[in-house]
């Protein structure tokens, strides 16, 4: 991540050190890149998209009165970013040998600052979700606990993929209960789909990184990734069999690319799968947008229709582009 700066340092006297404002700018750019990497900023658009599935499902019937919950979106982003700061804080000693390019091993920031950022993000996020009711606060509290649990066990136990998947699964649930004020089974479809996808993504990364991977392991991870898409499509297919499958098309195309063109090396594979998370949301939202339009629940100019139609692909494009700024893992 800092190859240019590292190369200059190794060159020693052969390359004169920048002075004045140029050196100050390089230090600022290095720290900014480190912060963006810690925050896994490229994955933030997918967080908003995951939340948005629940928001839209919970807002059925709002029509032209629908308004986007900006404070809830900010809370979800804070939970995600603070979780990443907590993860790097907890992994500081491990990163010194395995990921020395990260900010804390480089000494770019004091370690206590990462913990303070985590606590501040979680507290502010909980305060923001409280404005959307007790159900929202409850789901947010569960999410914060799952983030802590994952951070505690992810270097120790293979089952750490479960709390990691549940963290993502909480996002559509949070969006749904914040809008509806209660829970209903419809919110489970995107939540379960996200859980399966994140678990499959993690297992795929682990298996693909091994020198030799049994074919059964590869087939299992690929089946889980495909199963996540099928799970997300269940509700729209049940509601409208001729229309409900169309969201599987863009998801399936990207998944095929992840398993072929972007299958190796492992960081490329994982980054591609992470970028595809919003397309899993689109499996549900693309047919649902047209179903709502056909049922007269929304007009083509309503924000609810436009967000359902455009938010996931926009989040996909933004996330993929932001991977050029900072790594997604």
């Amino acid at each position: 991540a800092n190859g240019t700066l590292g190369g200059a340092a190794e060159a020693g006297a052969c390359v004169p050190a920048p002075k004045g404002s140029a050196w100050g700018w390089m230090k600022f750019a290095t720290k900014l890149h480190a912060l963006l990497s810690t925050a896994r900023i490229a994955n933030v658009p997918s967080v908003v998209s995951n939340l948005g599935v629940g928001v839209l499902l919970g807002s059925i019937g709002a029509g032209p009165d629908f308004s986007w919950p900006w404070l809830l979106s900010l809370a979800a982003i804070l939970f995600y970013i603070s979780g990443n700061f907590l993860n790097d804080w907890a992994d500081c000693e491990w990163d010194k040998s395995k990921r020395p390019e990260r900010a804390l091993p480089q000494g770019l920031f004091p370690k206590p600052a990462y913990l303070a950022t985590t606590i501040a993000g979680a507290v502010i996020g909980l305060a923001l979700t409280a404005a959307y009711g007790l159900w929202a606060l409850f789901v947010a509290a569960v999410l914060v606990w799952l983030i802590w649990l994952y951070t505690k066990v992810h270097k120790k136990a293979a089952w750490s993929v479960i709390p990691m998947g549940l963290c993502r699964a909480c996002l559509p649930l949070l969006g749904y209960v914040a809008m509806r004020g209660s829970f209903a089974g419809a919110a489970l479809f995107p939540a379960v789909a996200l859980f399966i996808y994140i678990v499959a993504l993690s297992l795929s990364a682990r298996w693909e990184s091994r020198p030799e991977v049994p074919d059964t392991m590869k087939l299992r991870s690929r089946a889980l990734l495909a199963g996540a898409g099928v799970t997300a499509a269940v509700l729209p297919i049940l509601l409208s069999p001729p229309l409900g499958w169309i969201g599987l098309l863009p998801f399936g195309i990207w998944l095929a690319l992840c398993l072929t063109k972007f299958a190796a090396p492992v960081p490329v594979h994982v980054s591609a799968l992470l970028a595809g998370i919003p397309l899993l949301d689109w499996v549900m939202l693309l047919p649902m947008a047209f179903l709502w339009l056909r049922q007269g629940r929304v007009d083509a100019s309503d924000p609810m229709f436009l967000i359902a139609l455009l938010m996931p692909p926009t989040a996909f494009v933004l996330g993929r582009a932001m991977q050029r700024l900072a790594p997604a893992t």
Side-chain angles (χ1 to χ4, degrees):
N2 296 299
T4 303
L5 297 180
E10 291 173 3
C14 295
V15 179
K19 296 181 179 180
S21 60
W23 177 242
W25 169 250
M26 289 181 68
K27 289 175 63 178
F28 171 78
T30 300
K31 288 190 174 184
L32 178 61
H33 181 271
L35 286 176
L36 294 177
S37 299
T38 298
R40 317 296 195 268
I41 197 67
N43 298 327
V44 167
S46 69
V47 170
V48 177
S49 180
N50 296 159
L51 180 78
V53 178
V55 167
L56 293 170
L57 287 176
S59 301
I60 293 176
D65 297 327
F66 172 79
S67 61
W68 183 260
W70 295 104
L71 294 181
L72 189 69
S73 300
L74 177 58
I77 293 171
L78 287 173
F79 291 142
Y80 180 76
I81 291 177
S82 63
N84 289 324
F85 272 80
L86 178 65
N87 189 266
D88 280 13
W89 173 83
D91 289 350
C92 183
E93 294 303 317
W94 187 88
D95 284 343
K96 286 180 180 179
S97 59
K98 304 295 184 180
R99 299 292 298 270
E101 77 279 4
R102 286 183 168 173
L104 291 183
Q106 289 190 72
L108 294 177
F109 303 99
K111 188 178 177 181
Y114 269 41
L115 183 59
T117 300
T118 295
I119 295 172
V123 170
I124 294 171
L126 288 170
L128 292 174
T129 54
Y132 293 89
L134 289 178
W135 268 103
L137 182 59
F138 172 75
V139 174
V142 171
L143 173 56
V144 170
W145 177 77
L146 286 168
I147 290 170
W148 171 84
L149 178 63
Y150 169 72
T151 302
K152 185 175 178 63
V153 304
H154 78 285
K155 287 289 190 291
K156 303 174 183 177
W159 59 267
S160 62
V161 297
I162 294 176
M164 180 169 61
L166 290 174
C167 285
R168 281 283 180 165
C170 280
L171 291 172
L173 297 179
L174 177 60
Y176 188 92
V177 300
M179 295 295 99
R180 184 61 65 92
S182 62
F183 175 78
L188 283 176
F189 290 99
V192 173
L194 278 169
F195 172 77
I196 296 172
Y197 188 88
I198 296 300
V199 169
L201 187 158
S202 178
L203 294 177
S204 179
R206 290 182 183 181
W207 293 332
E208 293 292 341
S209 63
R210 296 176 182 177
E212 295 183 5
V213 184
D215 289 339
T216 55
M217 293 295 189
K218 288 185 177 181
L219 289 173
R220 188 179 303 173
S221 63
R222 293 172 182 179
L224 285 172
L225 290 169
V230 173
T231 302
V234 168
L235 182 60
I237 288 175
L238 287 175
L239 295 174
S240 177
L243 188 64
W245 63 270
I246 61 172
L248 285 169
L249 184 59
F251 174 77
I253 291 173
W254 183 251
L255 184 58
L257 289 172
C258 290
L259 299 176
T260 53
K261 182 178 180 180
F262 303 123
V266 174
V268 171
H269 179 60
V270 174
S271 295
L273 288 174
L274 285 168
I277 291 175
L279 296 181
L280 183 62
D281 301 327
W282 216 24
V283 171
M284 174 173 283
L285 288 183
L286 182 59
M288 292 299 285
F290 290 107
L291 179 61
W292 295 334
L293 187 65
R294 189 174 68 185
Q295 293 175 341
R297 293 178 179 269
V298 298
D299 292 328
S301 59
D302 287 347
M304 189 172 170
F305 173 77
L306 294 174
I307 291 172
L309 188 66
L310 301 176
M311 178 182 63
T314 301
F316 166 75
V317 172
L318 282 176
R320 195 64 172 158
M322 291 167 70
Q323 288 180 355
R324 297 175 179 270
L325 297 177
T329 61

